[in-house]
Amino acid sequence: VVLNQGKDNVHRCDEDRDGWFGAPLAGLNSDVSAAQNSHNTCRVQENATLTNLTNHCNTLEARACSWTICDLPVGGFANGDSDAVNAYMSCLDTFFDTHRVQYYIDRTNCMTATSLHHDQTAVCDGDQATFEANFCSREEDIQSRCETYDSCRCAAEETFEITKDDVEDMETILKTQYVALQRLVCYGNLILANSTDVA
């Protein structure tokens, strides 16, 4: 009975481990997979917002880089209101009339795309933090469960081996006692039978 109890204790360690490998570990794996999928989907969208940002801001940059700049008046502005200054001011007026509307459209598109990308990056960083937390939590739980199983199994096996040695020692003693008692019974029967041949 004692030996069977020792075996049961060893098996109970295995049963506890196997039970955890069922629903609890499956749940942790499911959480990690869901968080990973969410993070991956978010990063794909983040890449799309980056492409959108790049396209809009490149359009703005290309437009600005292609502008023809009005030449400053010869002699600068020291001569006051001259024909050269008037021509320069007319050039600026035409420049702003020509580019103002589209510049503000392109600039707004670039700023909006930048804002959307930054917002998406923040969301993805949050998803990544959740994914990493779930992953680390699962790994810590696995480590903890393995340590618990190792401790349980080692302790149960050690106790079982000690009990087994004790039982085997007791079995040896009982066998020796049984043989001795059987001899005494034999001698007693011979004595009762008044037999002198005890060979």
Side-chain angles (χ1 to χ4, degrees), residues 179-194:
V179 170
L181 287 174
Q182 289 302 313
R183 285 184 183 164
L184 287 174
V185 168
C186 181
Y187 287 136
N189 287 337
L190 290 172
I191 291 169
L192 290 174
N194 211 14

Side-chain angles (χ1 to χ4, degrees), residues 21-43:
F21 273 122
L25 180 59
L28 291 172
N29 285 337
S30 176
D31 290 345
V32 170
S33 294
Q36 183 177 22
N37 290 338
S38 178
H39 172 246
N40 289 341
T41 300
C42 190
R43 291 300 183 191

Side-chain angles (χ1 to χ4, degrees), residues 48-182:
T49 61
L50 177 61
T51 300
N52 188 50
L53 175 156
T54 303
N55 290 340
H56 282 299
C57 293
N58 282 349
T59 297
L60 174 64
E61 183 179 354
R63 180 174 305 283
C65 290
S66 69
W67 287 338
T68 302
I69 306 299
C70 297
D71 293 329
L72 289 172
V74 177
F77 298 95
N79 297 329
D81 191 14
S82 64
D83 288 341
V85 169
N86 187 48
Y88 176 71
M89 298 306 289
S90 294
C91 178
L92 286 179
D93 189 45
T94 301
F95 175 85
F96 288 124
D97 284 346
T98 302
H99 299 292
R100 179 186 303 110
V101 174
Q102 194 58 50
Y103 168 77
Y104 281 116
I105 291 172
D106 292 345
R107 181 174 176 268
T108 299
N109 289 342
C110 177
M111 291 172 65
T112 301
T114 300
S115 179
L116 289 173
H117 176 65
H118 289 171
D119 291 346
Q120 186 66 35
T121 298
V123 170
C124 293
D125 288 348
D127 286 351
Q128 181 174 346
T130 300
F131 168 46
E132 290 174 354
N134 286 352
F135 180 86
C136 290
S137 178
R138 180 189 64 181
E139 296 305 303
E140 287 171 2
D141 207 345
I142 289 172
Q143 182 67 29
S144 174
R145 293 292 178 164
C146 288
E147 289 173 358
T148 299
Y149 171 71
D150 185 56
S151 298
C152 178
R153 185 70 191 238
C154 287
E157 285 181 351
E158 182 179 0
T159 301
F160 173 75
E161 291 299 325
I162 292 170
T163 302
K164 181 181 171 194
D165 290 344
D166 291 345
V167 168
E168 287 173 348
D169 290 344
M170 183 63 70
E171 184 180 20
T172 301
I173 291 169
L174 290 175
K175 283 181 180 179
T176 302
Q177 288 177 346
Y178 178 77
V179 170
L181 287 174
Q182 289 302 313

